[in-house]
Amino acid sequence: CPGCQLPLDVDIEESVDLDSTVQTISKSTSFPEQSAVVVHSSCPVCGKARRKVSERDASPAEEPDQAASSHHSDHHSNRNTTQLATADSQPAQEARAPAVNFSDQEVELWSQQLHKIDKDVVRCDRSYSYFKPANLVKLRNVLASYVWEHQDVGYIQGMCDLLAPFLVIFDEEVMAFGCFNKLMEVMLDNFPQGQAMDKHLSNMRLLLQICDRDVFELMQQNGDYTHFYFAYRWFLLDLKRELTYNDLFIVWETIWSARQCCTDNFTLFLATSLVELYRDIILDNSMDFTEIIKFFNEMAERHSATDLLAGARQLVGKLQCLLLPQ
């Protein structure tokens, strides 16, 4: 056989070790030099189908010995590779985690979460040039990954706003996911299932009562927004919707840095500072709850981050002078 160099007159029993037979015969048998070889229809060792080769079919560029050696090498190389692949795949199959079956209810809940994510993603900062379709896909992927890892929390409106700045900065899903996941450890309590929002609004009411009696008394007279719900979005998103991206990066870094040096709730002073920036307009127009919400919605992304931060620092200093002993 030109494939495995087995003499055509040798009978091979089924019980013979084929590998050792091929090696032994290969060492002791040489192929005669000829321009054409006639072979059986199938090899008794490898069982590979053969065709009859005539002188016309024989290629002068390839000697029979070379062809036989090539076939023999390829055949047994394939056998060895198959054996190795089978051996390697066994521990991998043993280590593979068992399949998880989800109930119809779980599938339905997950579908609802994805639907809520999809609705928010397409509306996220549509005027900002970064959020083109390809980057909206990244935004969706990160949110879906977070919700999958925190199924007890699920998706809540506003998460998209907190994630977007990280994606703009890193333009990479893994880094954005890591930062967003860490931020949510702090911000999650501001969402409806947490207890922090009522505390934030109550503290703002007290701080404004101490620092600006005129504005506080106006709110008391109107009586319909003494709970400061107009500032709900400010605390929920750390003023994300109130500032441009360039200003937001500065403000967020200041909030995070303040935790290391003065207060864990610098957002409280920023929110109060935002009211103080427009106190004259609020007082002159005796704004009620509806008017002040409309005013700040119209002023979104038009505030000065420099003035906002300066006012917040002044409020921190004023409160420290009142509380700390001289």
Side-chain angles (χ1 to χ4, degrees):
C1 171
C4 52
Q5 299 187 4
L6 177 68
L8 300 181
D9 57 348
V10 177
D11 293 327
I12 303 296
E13 297 181 358
E14 293 182 358
S15 61
V16 175
D17 186 346
L18 299 183
D19 288 338
S20 60
T21 301
V22 171
Q23 292 176 2
T24 303
I25 296 175
S26 298
K27 293 178 181 179
S28 60
T29 306
S30 59
F31 234 86
E33 294 183 0
Q34 55 186 12
S35 59
V37 181
V38 178
V39 298
H40 289 170
S41 60
S42 62
C43 175
V45 174
C46 62
K48 188 171 182 179
R50 296 290 175 210
R51 67 185 180 86
K52 189 172 182 179
V53 183
S54 64
E55 293 183 3
R56 221 177 298 170
D57 295 327
S59 172
E62 187 181 63
E63 294 297 327
D65 283 346
Q66 295 175 345
S69 177
S70 174
H71 166 71
H72 175 72
S73 176
D74 291 346
H75 170 65
H76 290 284
S77 175
N78 290 338
R79 288 187 59 188
N80 293 337
T81 303
T82 303
Q83 293 173 355
L84 289 175
T86 303
D88 290 342
S89 63
Q90 288 177 353
Q93 292 175 353
E94 294 176 0
R96 186 180 301 166
V100 179
N101 295 322
F102 297 98
S103 66
D104 293 341
Q105 183 180 6
E106 290 173 323
V107 172
E108 178 63 24
L109 289 174
W110 176 241
S111 299
Q112 292 175 3
Q113 296 295 324
L114 290 179
H115 178 67
K116 291 194 290 185
I117 291 173
D118 289 337
K119 286 176 61 178
D120 262 14
V121 163
V122 296
R123 297 182 296 189
C124 180
D125 295 329
R126 285 173 288 188
S127 61
Y128 195 69
S129 60
Y130 176 81
F131 291 104
K132 298 176 181 178
N135 292 328
L136 290 178
V137 171
K138 296 178 184 178
L139 192 68
R140 181 187 188 274
N141 290 344
V142 176
L143 289 171
S145 298
Y146 178 83
V147 172
W148 181 257
E149 293 292 331
H150 302 82
Q151 296 186 37
D152 56 325
V153 176
Y155 179 78
I156 308 172
Q157 190 174 19
M159 289 182 175
C160 188
D161 289 279
L162 293 176
L163 167 62
F166 294 120
L167 201 57
V168 170
I169 286 290
F170 296 112
D171 191 31
E172 202 273 326
E173 293 180 20
V174 175
M175 288 294 293
F177 175 83
C179 293
F180 174 69
N181 190 58
K182 196 66 178 177
L183 179 64
M184 287 304 299
E185 293 178 6
V186 178
M187 301 296 292
L188 189 59
D189 206 31
N190 294 337
F191 286 83
Q193 71 269 32
Q195 305 296 323
M197 186 58 69
D198 289 339
K199 183 179 178 181
H200 291 322
L201 299 178
S202 178
N203 288 340
M204 183 178 177
R205 182 175 182 273
L206 292 173
L207 183 60
L208 197 60
Q209 183 178 5
I210 294 171
C211 299
D212 195 330
R213 293 287 302 182
D214 294 336
V215 173
F216 178 78
E217 288 176 0
L218 173 66
M219 294 181 178
Q220 288 288 90
Q221 291 172 8
N222 288 330
D224 56 356
Y225 66 111
T226 53
H227 294 294
F228 289 77
Y229 289 131
F230 63 87
Y232 181 91
R233 188 175 72 185
W234 304 351
F235 289 103
L236 181 68
L237 305 178
D238 272 353
L239 299 168
K240 189 266 176 183
R241 293 191 185 177
E242 318 312 315
L243 302 167
T244 63
Y245 271 90
N246 289 335
D247 286 343
L248 179 67
F249 299 145
I250 299 172
V251 170
W252 274 17
E253 288 183 358
T254 306
I255 293 172
W256 302 334
S257 300
R259 295 192 181 110
Q260 309 301 320
C261 60
C262 60
T263 175
D264 290 336
N265 194 11
F266 193 68
T267 307
L268 168 65
F269 297 92
L270 288 168
T272 309
S273 173
L274 193 57
V275 174
E276 287 293 282
L277 287 177
Y278 304 100
R279 68 179 301 276
D280 293 337
I281 298 175
I282 295 172
L283 291 173
D284 292 343
N285 293 277
S286 298
M287 290 184 179
D288 59 17
F289 179 72
T290 304
E291 291 171 338
I292 198 169
I293 288 181
K294 181 181 178 181
F295 172 76
F296 280 111
N297 282 341
E298 293 174 350
M299 290 297 297
E301 298 187 357
R302 297 168 63 184
H303 309 294
S304 169
T306 303
D307 295 341
L308 183 63
L309 289 170
R313 294 187 182 104
Q314 289 177 3
L315 290 170
V316 171
K318 185 181 292 187
L319 191 61
Q320 287 176 338
C321 291
L322 292 173
L323 299 178
L324 298 179
Q326 298 296 328

